[in-house]
Amino acid sequence: MESLLSALQEKAQADLAAICSRPELEAAKARLVGPNGELTALMKQMGSVPKEQRPALGKRINEAKGHVQALLDAALQRVVAAEIAAQVGPAIDVSLPSPDVGPGTFHPLTQVREEMCRILRKVGFTVADGPEVETEYHCFDALNTPADHPARDAQDTFYLPRDAAFGNVSKHHPDERYLLRTHTSSVQIRTLLKGPPPIRIVSPGRVYRRDTTDATHSANFHQLECLYVDRNVTVRDLKALLDYIFTSLLGKDTKTRFRPHYFGYTEPSFEVDLSARHLPKVNKEWIEIGGCGMVDPIVLDGVGHDSRVWSGYAFGMGLERLAMLLYGIDDIRYFYQNDLRFLRQFA
Ligand code: DAH
């Protein structure tokens, strides 16, 4: 009996040392201490042993059982450690240099946005922000764009469902809906509502329109808005600002030109064209870049600033357009595809 037990212990030790997976461990466990296991079989032989030898043998068997159990526990620990290691993957030496190609760079749109903000900060503008989910009031009504204006049509504007979980949009206009802002001009209203002039803000941001994507359209693009309200602001100030911005950004040979236009929130209103023929990639004489005008007195009075005291100008333009012009990019979709071959050119 003693030799059988010793042999079993030795064999268990050798078997369990080689185990490295859970099924193998379970099989070994059953083979040794299961109901039909080898150790169990030896224990069953106790009955046939002479009475006087039983206490000593019982002690010996318990010893062997303890030994086998310790071997099983150790094997289980090894299996668990192996499982965790497999999940975690190979060891990483965090002190090794990165296999990456180098530091990241700013997206071309970010670069143009930051450069424009830098240029405008120099002449006293502060950066203002506004939400992309807007109310009809901030995006249209307060900007003197009436309910039947085509821009408000569901074909052009993304409206949120009326029962969107935002609660009532407005106490005064229970019918008002939430929408994705179609232009950054909504930030004009948010800023004007914050306090009295003088106001001088620039607000870059994302805007949304129901456009089908092609080389020059995207349902989601970026604009940059400027608003200046003070005493005795004139069209001359507006023209001077635009000349300053675009010569700063594109070089002193750049020219700007106004074409009469209509916007509900400015009077008079203009479209702004740029001439940047000196840029190698531009072969048109004039390129439309944005809209502008003198803030309509209706807008000022509407937000509680007396239009007999205050006057101002506003200007809005597309950032993609400007970046395309600046870098000679001929398809707006490049901006959104995150293709490294494109992005690396703006390092
Ligand atoms: N919001 C206009 C657009 O999205 C651009 C614009 C026109 C902005 C005239 C202005 C403005 O601030 O005065 O097309």
Side-chain angles (χ1 to χ4, degrees), residues 4 7 14 30 61 86 104 119 140 146 177 185 218 276 298 312 328 332:
L4 283 176
I61 287 188
I119 291 168
F140 296 130
R177 283 174 293 173
S185 303
S218 163
I298 294 175
I332 197 169

Side-chain angles (χ1 to χ4, degrees), residues 15-16 18-31 72-87:
D15 283 357
L16 288 171
I19 272 171
C20 48
S21 80
R22 219 170 259 267
E24 281 176 321
L25 179 65
E26 291 306 323
K29 200 168 159 183
R31 207 165 57 235
L72 284 168
D73 290 346
L76 177 65
Q77 270 186 25
R78 278 201 321 278
V79 167
V80 168
E83 281 172 357
I84 293 174
Q87 271 173 25

